[in-house]
């Protein structure tokens, strides 16, 4: 078990060794040379230093940072040798040889770039492997080829993956950044994903509203993962291991949202030496540290981030800047020899603002998530009574507590806002594996407490923070069943059903799910999927506002029905080369009882916060992706989508997120110690409501019984969303240099957003006093930012 | 007004802002009419606009009538109005208003429904209806002197049938108003949307509480969204504005320090 774990721990994706193992002749492997044997990944430059670490740790670190497939038997004696290598530029191949040669080891490489470490022969002898007596020493494995697949390729081969994109945290960082790397902003560059404006880190999936995507951290929900009014997400870049984005045909284990799921998995360290990183940007500083323990059976990471503008302003000036945000995140895993695995994740974040007098102005908001899981793997044909659980099974139980809270007070305006949402969720599943068939049965049970109050004497603030007052206690439960199997060899089927109930909304429903993948060849597949979904948590944010400081959530109840939707998807996925893939997918979605914030909401009434409408979306997403592992990586994404809504009054309109065309070209080039990044975006304009005039409205004075002279400007709107903003263009560039500073790996970066300073309006502000004009509320202008990331 | 200006300025503060002249195309009628049950004479505003605020004009020659709950029609006469005094340069501004007197019908009937009909000279028509809340006027004791730095104003009153909400209106150097249910607490340092204090120190502040109907409440509880212009709730047919009603509940005087 330990050997399996040790091998698996240095393979860059979790390989299913039993399923993937094939026996081949030794002619597939040749000795590795310093020139990398012509393999691009092995000729890439690396500068990592190793200070008194084991050869095994050093090799793992090289494999991780270079993303190469590297395998060895951890019992090889040479792997325990301590190595000392100073920091200097060399190829990955040379770095491996630096470790193996003094350690009596011999690296061999296959034509596909997989590297295997064996014992260096004492004398020339045939390298064809023979079975070795493991009790006498090292075991040579060249006769065994482990197909250690990239996560994306493994997903292609083993999952229907309809509407899904798997991407690592590392690949999300290839694009130029605004201030600092941000997961959510990188997700916005994928096909089928729209952002309301450059000021928002949130996103819309295939024309859905912004609250229709479920965001998970290691499978635990988080409700408002944004800082600074949506400008940044709460994910600390160093903690992101991989991201799975699902845009449709959601598997049965996901529920509660109509459009998508973003499941962010924490990065897990692979080295038994403590490693960490830090980052300093224009806005914040962050650091992370982690290591494995118990001989690789466990791992832990801790990360933290804080802005420092408030400290610097107070230090250097007589003024104060009373705002900051901070995040802390931790993740721990432990596998035990009896097949038990436990894991826990915790996150806490805060935005805090205060005025000059904290008695008069103040606010804070933030998320907290705590989740734990325990899983037990049952091998050897487990049974539950007389019921067979297949060849093996995994039982898992999860428990999480999610909390979001926001408070703001401005005494002079009699403004008070308070929102708190707490969700306690228990979930469990049993997954049974038999051959190529996987059956899952699971449940979810959740209780939510929601309090929302917002009021002010200033009506305009209600556009951004809706005025209302309500208190809710909501519960929901779900049971799901899912089966993935191959009825015939080229056909992979994932069929499932989800039974859901929201007793506090007097609703219960059945949501069937189906997705198919038919392999035309090992690298080409046609996909199709369909499903039905329900959503009972709704945001009070209005899509037409280009800036939404916060999302406030309320639950469906007797006044607000549960929203439902159906979708259908068909697509084609083709692996052009082992690192290049092409994916095209067409979709159609239909919405019923779609709840959006009621613009006429009366804060003194309960039940009118949301209004229901119907609608549909359809379109096509295209993705051509070059995975990393070579000098160039990136993707070309194109989306076409048409979104339509119809209100209770029968009026049909295009919602604000109806962006018809969106092209994103993202690329990263490694040139020695430099990495150049670029991103180009061309998109058609989003709809907006034109304002056709203004007038001055007057107040009646009941004290003097006459009309006052005080007037306020009111606007006269045109037809809802009847015009479109101009086409959006933007080019971002970045440069990152790998170097060293005081013995640490230091990567300074410079990033320029909107390098040509294209004027892209996010909306318009109209004025009809004096000379009538329209001012554009801009998206991000030319914005150079810089920072440095450190690693040790 | 200050809030909208601050919001607009804040939202535009980050970068170069493109400004493009636009041609208003609203061509709308504006009617502001409130039935005030505490007086017999009611004054209404009828205006037109192209959408440019400097083209917002009082309408002359319109026919404005109010139909009472018992079916009688009261005409509103076109009158010049110079109160309160306003000037454009040296010239005093004379507004055109429409004034209807209900003295001949015994004043305003609480609980009654009144129907507004406006016909402009160009043929455009406006219709509206309001039902006056039924309020019981309470005695209004003198309030203790008020130190705005330390005190809060707490008021409560009985509910009124037909009221959509209640308006507390404070009048001194400037005015302050807020909607509430049957009780309210106003901090001494509260300010109106222009940043002026709700309670003016050194002055006697007059406070009235009125029950308001749904038309009045809906129109004045919302303002138009700064981006889309949507949000103003209008119950008139043929015009933008309000035809609502208010009924008195209480009035106070408050000496503020």
């Amino acid at each position: 078990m330990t050997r399996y774990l040790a091998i698996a721990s240095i393979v860059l994706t979790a390989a299913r060794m039993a399923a993937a193992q094939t026996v081949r002749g030794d002619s597939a492997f040749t000795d590795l040379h310093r020139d990398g044997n012509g393999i691009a990944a092995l000729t890439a430059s690396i500068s990592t230093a190793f200070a008194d670490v084991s050869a095994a740790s050093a090799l793992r670190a090289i494999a991780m940072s270079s993303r190469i497939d590297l395998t060895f038997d951890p019992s090889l004696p040479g792997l325990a040798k301590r190595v000392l290598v100073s920091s200097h530029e060399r190829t990955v191949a040379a770095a491996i040889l630096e470790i193996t040669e003094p350690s009596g080891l011999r690296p061999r490489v296959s034509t596909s770039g997989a590297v295997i470490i064996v014992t260096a022969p004492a004398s020339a002898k045939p390298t064809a492997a023979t079975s070795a007596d493991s009790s006498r020493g090292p075991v040579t494995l060249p006769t065994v080829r482990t197909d250690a697949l990239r996560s994306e390729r493994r997903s292609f081969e083993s999952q229907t993956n309809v509407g899904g994109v798997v991407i690592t945290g590392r690949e999300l960082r290839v694009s130029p950044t605004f201030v600092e790397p941000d997961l959510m902003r990188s997700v916005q560059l994928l096909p089928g994903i729209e952002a309301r404006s450059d000021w928002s880190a949130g996103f819309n999936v295939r024309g859905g509203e912004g609250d229709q995507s479920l965001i998970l951290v290691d499978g635990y929900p988080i409700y408002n993962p944004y800082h600074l009014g949506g400008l940044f997400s709460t994910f600390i870049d160093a903690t992101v291991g991989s991201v799975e984005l699902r845009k449709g045909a959601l598997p049965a284990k996901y529920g509660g949202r109509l459009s998508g799921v973003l499941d962010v998995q924490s990065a897990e360290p692979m080295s038994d030496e403590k490693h960490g990183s830090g980052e300093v940007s224009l806005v914040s500083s962050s650091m992370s540290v982690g290591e494995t323990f118990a001989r690789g059976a466990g791992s832990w990471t801790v990360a933290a981030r804080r802005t420092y503008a408030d400290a610097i302003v107070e230090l250097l000036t007589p003024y104060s800047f009373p705002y900051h945000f901070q995040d802390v995140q931790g993740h721990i895993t432990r596998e035990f020899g009896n097949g038990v695995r436990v894991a826990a994740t915790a996150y806490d974040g805060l935005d805090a603002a205060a005025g000059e007098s904290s008695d008069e102005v103040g606010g804070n908001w933030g998320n907290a998530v705590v989740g734990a899981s325990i899983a037990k793997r049952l091998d050897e044909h487990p049974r539950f009574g007389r019921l067979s659980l297949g060849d093996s099974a995994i039982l898992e139980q999860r428990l999480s507590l999610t909390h979001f809270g926001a408070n703001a007070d401005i005494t002079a305006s009699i403004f008070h806002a308070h929102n708190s949402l707490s969700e306690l969720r228990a979930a469990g599943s049993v997954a049974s594996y038999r051959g190529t068939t996987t059956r899952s049965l699971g449940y979810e049970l959740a209780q939510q407490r929601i309090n929302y109050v917002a009021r002010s004497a200033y009506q305009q603030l209600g556009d951004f923070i809706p005025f209302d007052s309500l208190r809710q206690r909501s519960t929901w439960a779900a049971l799901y069943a899912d089966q993935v199997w191959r009825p015939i060899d080229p056909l992979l089927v994932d069929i499932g059903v989800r039974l859901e109930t929201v007793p506090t909304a007097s609703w219960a429903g059945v949501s069937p799910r189906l997705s198919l993948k038919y392999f035309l060849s090992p690298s080409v597949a046609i996909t199709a999927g369909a499903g039905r979904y329900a959503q009972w948590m709704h945001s009070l944010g209005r899509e037409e506002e280009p800036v939404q400081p916060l999302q406030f959530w309320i639950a469906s109840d007797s006044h607000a029905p549960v929203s439902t939707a159906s979708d259908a998807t068909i697509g084609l996925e083709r692996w052009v080369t082992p690192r290049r893939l092409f994916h095209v997918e067409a979709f159609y979605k239909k919405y019923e009882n779609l709840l959006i914030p009621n613009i006429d909401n009366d804060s003194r009434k309960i039940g009118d916060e949301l209004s229901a409408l119907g609608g549909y979306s359809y379109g096509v997403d295209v993705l051509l992706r070059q995975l990393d592992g070579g000098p160039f990586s990136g993707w070309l994404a194109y989306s076409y989508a048409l979104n339509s809504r119809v209100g209770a009054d029968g009026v049909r309109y295009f919602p604000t997120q109806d962006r018809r065309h969106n092209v994103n070209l993202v690329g990263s080039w490694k040139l020695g110690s430099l990495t150049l990044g670029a991103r180009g975006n061309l998109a058609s304009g989003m709809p907006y409501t034109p304002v056709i005039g203004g007038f001055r409205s007057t107040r009646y004075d009941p004290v003097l019984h006459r009309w006052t002279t005080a007037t306020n400007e009111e606007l006269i709107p045109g037809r809802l969303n009847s015009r479109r903003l101009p086409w959006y263009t933007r080019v971002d560039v970045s440069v990152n240099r790998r170097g060293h500073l005081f013995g640490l790996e230091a990567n300074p970066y410079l990033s320029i957003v909107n390098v040509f300073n294209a004027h892209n309006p996010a909306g318009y502000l109209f004025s009809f006093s004096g000379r009538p004009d329209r001012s554009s509320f801009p998206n991000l202008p030319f914005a150079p930012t810089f920072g440095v990331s450190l690693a040790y | 007004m200050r809030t909208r200006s601050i919001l607009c300025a804040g939202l535009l503060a980050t970068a170069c802002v493109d400004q493009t002249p636009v041609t208003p195309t609203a061509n709308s009628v504006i009617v502001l009419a409130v039935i005030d049950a505490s007086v017999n004479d009611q004054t209404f505003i009828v205006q037109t606009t192209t959408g440019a605020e400097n083209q917002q004009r009082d309408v002359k020659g319109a026919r404005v009538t109010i139909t009472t709950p018992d079916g009688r029609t009261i005409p509103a006469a076109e009158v010049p109005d110079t109160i309160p005094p306003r000037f454009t340069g040296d010239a005093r501004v004379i507004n055109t208003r429409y004034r209807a007197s209900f003295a001949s019908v015994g004043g305003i009937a609480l609980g009654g429904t009144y129907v507004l009909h406006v016909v402009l000279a160009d043929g455009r028509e406006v219709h509206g209806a309001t039902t006056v809340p039924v309020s019981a006027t309470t005695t209004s004791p003198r309030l203790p002197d008020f130190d705005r730095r330390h005190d809060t104003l707490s008021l409560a009153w009985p509910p009124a049938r037909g009221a959509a909400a209640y308006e507390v209106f404070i009048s001194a150097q400037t005015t302050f108003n807020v909607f509430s249910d049957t009780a309210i607490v106003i901090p001494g340092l509260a300010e109106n949307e222009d940043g002026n204090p709700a309670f003016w120190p050194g002055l006697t502040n007059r406070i009235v509480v009125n029950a308001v109907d749904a038309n009045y409440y809906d129109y004045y509880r919302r303002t138009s969204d700064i981006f889309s212009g949507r949000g103003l709730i209008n119950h008139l047919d043929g015009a933008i504005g309000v035809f609502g009603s208010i009924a008195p509940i209480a009035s106070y005087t408050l000496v503020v320090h």
Side-chain angles (χ1 to χ4, degrees):
Chain A
M1 177 60 196
T2 304
R3 174 182 299 189
Y4 170 83
L5 286 173
I7 293 173
S9 72
I10 56 93
V11 176
L12 296 178
T13 61
R16 291 177 294 136
M17 295 188 67
Q21 193 174 72
T22 60
V23 177
R24 295 186 183 273
D26 187 57
S27 57
F29 286 81
T30 56
D31 285 339
L32 178 65
H33 304 298
R34 290 185 186 279
D35 62 2
N37 297 45
I39 307 291
L42 296 172
T43 60
S45 180
I46 189 173
S47 61
T48 308
F50 302 106
D52 193 31
V53 302
S54 64
S57 294
L59 288 169
R60 288 193 193 104
I62 293 171
M64 261 188 63
S65 64
S66 308
R67 290 192 58 82
I68 58 171
D69 299 338
L70 190 148
T71 306
F72 57 74
D73 179 348
S75 66
L76 292 178
L79 292 171
K81 184 179 173 61
R82 310 300 282 185
V83 295
L84 179 67
V85 179
S86 62
S87 172
H88 63 287
E89 293 285 335
R90 68 284 197 203
T91 63
V92 172
I96 293 173
L97 288 165
E98 279 177 348
I99 305 300
T100 56
E101 285 173 349
S103 307
L105 300 168
R106 176 186 176 197
R108 294 173 65 76
V109 60
S110 72
T111 52
S112 64
V115 177
I116 194 166
I117 307 296
V118 300
T119 303
S123 59
K125 63 182 180 183
T127 55
T130 59
S131 62
D133 180 354
S134 62
S135 67
R136 294 183 56 192
V139 174
T140 304
L141 295 177
T143 57
V144 175
R145 180 172 75 87
T146 56
D147 286 332
L149 301 174
R150 303 183 67 105
S151 57
E152 299 89 348
R153 179 74 194 203
R154 189 167 63 91
S155 175
F156 169 75
E157 294 185 353
S158 64
Q159 299 178 25
T160 53
N161 205 28
V162 178
V165 177
V166 176
I167 191 163
T168 63
R170 183 183 171 117
E171 284 189 291
L172 285 171
R173 294 174 204 126
V174 304
S175 64
T177 60
F178 171 60
V179 181
E180 56 186 41
D182 190 284
L183 159 69
M184 305 287 262
R185 289 190 174 274
S186 297
V187 166
Q188 292 174 355
L189 307 180
L190 297 173
I193 306 298
E194 300 293 343
R196 174 58 186 91
S197 73
D198 291 352
W199 305 106
S200 171
F203 56 91
N204 304 76
V205 176
R206 287 182 172 172
E209 275 64 16
D211 64 350
Q212 291 178 10
S213 295
L214 179 65
I215 301 175
L216 304 171
V217 179
D218 293 328
Y220 311 115
I222 185 167
Y223 277 91
N224 225 334
Y226 308 109
H227 286 304
L228 200 59
L231 203 55
F232 302 104
S233 73
T234 57
F235 297 101
I236 303 174
D237 182 60
T239 68
V240 177
S242 68
V243 174
E244 183 175 3
L245 172 68
R246 292 197 171 263
K247 301 174 286 180
L250 305 180
K253 68 177 181 177
Y254 295 119
R257 295 292 187 277
L258 301 182
S259 281
V261 175
L262 183 72
D263 193 351
V264 182
Q265 297 292 322
S266 294
E268 294 181 0
M270 311 264 289
S271 169
D272 59 3
E273 306 289 333
K274 196 169 295 177
H275 279 73
S277 65
E279 180 141 357
V280 180
S281 72
L282 282 181
V283 169
S284 69
S285 295
S286 64
M287 64 167 292
S288 70
V289 62
E291 65 179 346
T292 63
F293 60 93
R295 303 184 71 181
S299 70
W300 63 268
T301 53
V302 174
R305 173 175 64 173
R306 193 194 191 279
T307 58
Y308 45 73
D310 54 334
I312 290 181
V313 168
E314 288 183 18
L315 185 67
L316 300 178
T317 74
Y319 305 106
S320 67
F321 182 71
Y323 170 81
H324 79 276
F325 71 75
Q326 62 193 43
D327 307 281
V328 176
Q329 184 168 339
H331 181 65
I332 186 167
T333 66
R334 178 73 160 93
E335 294 209 31
F336 298 93
N338 55 359
V340 172
R341 182 180 195 271
V342 296
T345 298
Y347 167 81
D348 189 87
L350 175 71
D351 284 66
E356 289 185 358
S357 166
S358 60
D359 291 335
E360 297 181 1
V361 179
N364 59 75
W365 54 95
N367 293 278
V369 177
V370 175
S373 69
I374 180 167
K376 165 77 174 172
R377 195 181 70 254
L378 305 171
D379 294 320
E380 309 296 336
H381 307 288
R383 303 185 73 82
F384 180 71
R386 297 173 65 178
L387 181 66
S388 169
L389 294 179
D391 300 330
S392 64
I394 295 178
L395 310 177
E396 185 179 29
Q397 180 62 44
R398 303 164 64 85
L399 187 67
S400 65
L401 177 63
T402 299
H403 176 80
F404 169 73
N407 296 282
D409 284 280
I410 305 174
T411 304
S413 311
I414 317 180
F415 173 78
H416 171 71
H418 168 80
N419 181 214
S420 68
L421 186 161
S422 296
E423 178 182 293
L424 180 64
R425 184 185 295 200
S429 66
V430 55
S432 157
Y433 305 93
R434 187 194 300 274
T436 57
T437 300
T438 302
R439 294 192 180 95
S440 304
L441 194 63
Y443 81 94
E444 288 180 299
L445 190 60
Q447 183 181 64
Q448 296 160 322
R449 295 188 173 206
I450 300 164
N451 291 323
Y452 180 80
V453 173
R455 58 175 182 264
S456 174
Y458 292 177
Q459 297 301 316
Q460 285 93 337
L461 289 172
D463 293 334
F464 301 100
I465 302 176
F467 299 149
D468 216 305
S469 174
L470 49 85
R471 181 181 296 231
Q472 296 177 308
R473 299 289 182 267
S474 176
T475 55
W476 61 270
L479 279 176
Y480 68 87
D482 187 87
Q483 175 168 312
V484 180
W485 88 108
R486 289 179 183 262
I488 56 176
D489 188 51
L491 178 64
L492 184 63
V493 179
D494 184 347
I495 186 166
V497 65
R498 193 175 168 90
L499 310 177
E500 297 165 312
T501 179
V502 187
T504 43
S506 302
W507 178 87
V510 178
S511 299
R513 312 280 173 89
L514 172 68
S515 57
L516 311 168
K517 176 175 278 186
Y518 187 84
F519 290 89
L520 299 174
S521 74
S523 296
V524 182
I526 295 175
T527 59
R532 186 157 178 80
Y533 316 94
Q535 180 165 338
W536 47 87
M537 291 296 293
H538 313 280
S539 165
L540 293 176
R542 286 167 45 196
E543 294 291 335
E544 60 261 36
E545 304 298 331
V547 177
Q548 292 190 36
L550 289 169
Q551 280 188 323
F552 297 103
W553 295 85
I554 62 173
S556 289
D557 57 14
S558 56
H559 304 287
V562 172
S563 302
T564 54
S566 307
D567 75 354
T569 309
I570 186 166
L572 174 80
E573 188 172 356
R574 180 178 178 221
W575 282 75
V576 181
T577 70
R579 287 178 48 235
R580 185 177 303 158
L581 67 97
F582 173 77
H583 195 179
V584 59
E585 214 165 62
F587 66 91
Y588 176 82
K589 288 164 62 173
K590 191 167 186 300
Y591 303 94
E592 295 102 27
N593 279 332
L594 189 59
L595 296 184
I596 62 170
N598 177 13
I599 195 171
D600 295 338
N601 166 47
D602 182 353
S603 62
R604 297 167 53 249
K605 283 185 192 167
I606 292 178
D608 68 341
E609 295 77 20
L610 302 165
S611 51
L613 41 76
Y616 61 84
S617 304
Y618 65 80
V620 62
D621 297 335
V622 180
L623 176 66
L624 177 64
R625 187 172 164 195
Q626 181 76 20
L627 301 171
D628 67 355
F632 171 76
S633 64
W635 63 83
L636 171 64
Y638 168 71
S639 300
Y640 169 81
L642 186 146
N643 305 290
S644 175
R645 301 287 183 267
V646 58
D649 55 2
V651 174
R652 189 170 291 277
Y653 67 97
F654 300 117
T656 306
Q657 67 270 23
D658 179 41
R659 194 193 288 276
R660 296 293 166 84
H661 304 277
N662 193 0
V663 180
N664 268 299
L665 181 59
V666 179
S668 170
W669 293 266
K670 293 178 187 163
L671 301 171
S673 64
L674 293 178
T675 300
L676 305 179
R679 174 238 179 171
N681 184 208
L682 175 67
S684 56
M686 290 177 160
Y688 74 96
T689 301
V691 179
I692 60 174
F695 71 99
R696 302 214 68 89
S697 182
T698 305
R699 198 91 196 188
Y700 183 78
D701 186 334
V703 173
L704 302 177
H705 307 292
R706 65 173 184 236
W707 294 95
T708 65
T709 55
T711 61
N712 56 283
E713 181 184 15
E714 299 289 354
L715 301 173
I716 303 171
R719 197 159 60 87
L720 177 61
N721 285 357
S722 57
R723 298 257 181 92
R724 287 190 179 263
L725 296 171
W727 278 75
Y728 176 104
T729 59
R730 184 174 128 183
V731 175
D732 306 335
V733 296
S734 68
V735 59
N736 176 304
R737 185 183 185 281
R738 291 184 297 282
H740 292 85
L741 188 66
F742 305 120
L744 304 175
E745 273 189 46
N747 299 325
Y749 61 87
L750 169 68
S751 186
I752 304 176
V753 166
N754 198 1
V755 67
F756 297 116
N757 197 31
H759 291 190
N760 297 306
Y764 292 120
L765 296 164
F766 291 81
S767 174
F768 294 91
S769 57
R771 187 189 73 163
D773 64 30
R774 179 190 76 189
S775 301
S776 62
F777 172 64
N779 276 302
L780 283 174
F782 173 88
T785 61
F786 55 87
V788 61
S789 61
L790 306 166
Y792 62 94
Chain B
M1 184 167 76
R2 184 185 75 151
T3 305
R4 184 192 295 275
S5 300
I6 290 174
L7 283 172
C8 290
L11 291 170
L12 293 173
T14 57
C16 293
V17 172
D18 298 324
Q19 282 186 305
T20 307
V22 294
T23 301
T25 58
N27 195 25
S28 300
V29 178
I30 299 163
V31 173
L32 301 172
V34 174
I35 300 288
D36 182 352
S38 56
V39 294
N40 285 332
D41 289 348
Q42 313 293 331
T43 303
F44 311 133
I45 297 174
V46 181
Q47 297 174 320
T48 58
T49 182
T50 60
E53 289 179 13
N54 58 13
Q55 299 296 312
Q56 187 171 343
R57 301 271 188 265
D58 292 332
V59 167
K60 295 181 191 299
R63 190 169 75 249
V64 181
T65 57
I66 306 292
T67 303
T68 63
D70 58 1
R72 283 181 281 186
T73 300
I74 307 294
E78 181 179 322
V79 296
D81 187 356
T82 57
I83 296 174
R86 290 190 301 125
F87 295 86
T88 300
D90 294 331
R92 171 173 287 199
V93 174
I94 301 175
N95 299 308
T96 299
R97 298 286 182 254
Y98 291 83
R99 186 168 296 151
S101 177
F102 290 80
S104 62
V105 295
I108 300 299
L110 298 182
T113 298
Y114 293 80
V115 178
L116 171 71
H117 185 210
V118 177
V119 182
L120 278 67
D122 60 13
R124 285 183 285 183
E125 294 189 45
V126 180
H127 299 269
T130 181
T131 301
V132 183
V134 180
S135 64
T137 307
T138 63
T139 56
S140 306
R142 180 185 170 82
L143 297 172
D145 288 0
F146 189 81
D147 183 344
R148 62 189 291 267
R149 293 167 299 175
H150 304 296
D151 294 336
T152 58
L153 178 66
S154 298
L155 300 173
W157 51 86
R161 181 165 53 89
Y166 303 87
E167 183 184 46
V168 176
F169 199 101
I170 305 174
S171 180
Q173 185 82 353
T174 56
T175 61
F176 172 89
N177 62 278
V178 62
F179 289 112
S180 77
D181 283 315
T182 55
I184 195 168
V185 176
I186 304 176
L189 294 176
E191 296 175 352
N192 67 10
E193 294 188 7
D194 295 325
N196 296 310
F199 302 101
W200 275 86
L203 299 177
T204 297
N205 293 232
R206 296 179 61 185
I207 304 169
V208 297
V209 179
N210 281 291
V212 305
D213 81 321
N215 293 349
Y216 185 99
Y217 175 56
D218 280 344
Y219 182 77
Y220 285 115
R221 68 179 173 88
R222 292 279 313 170
T223 61
S224 41
D225 179 81
I226 61 173
F227 288 104
S228 66
R230 300 169 66 216
L232 209 56
I233 302 174
N234 178 37
H235 291 295
L236 286 173
D237 178 25
I240 302 170
V242 59
F243 179 51
S245 53
I246 62 175
I249 290 181
S251 67
Y252 309 90
T253 55
L254 184 69
V255 176
V256 179
H257 302 287

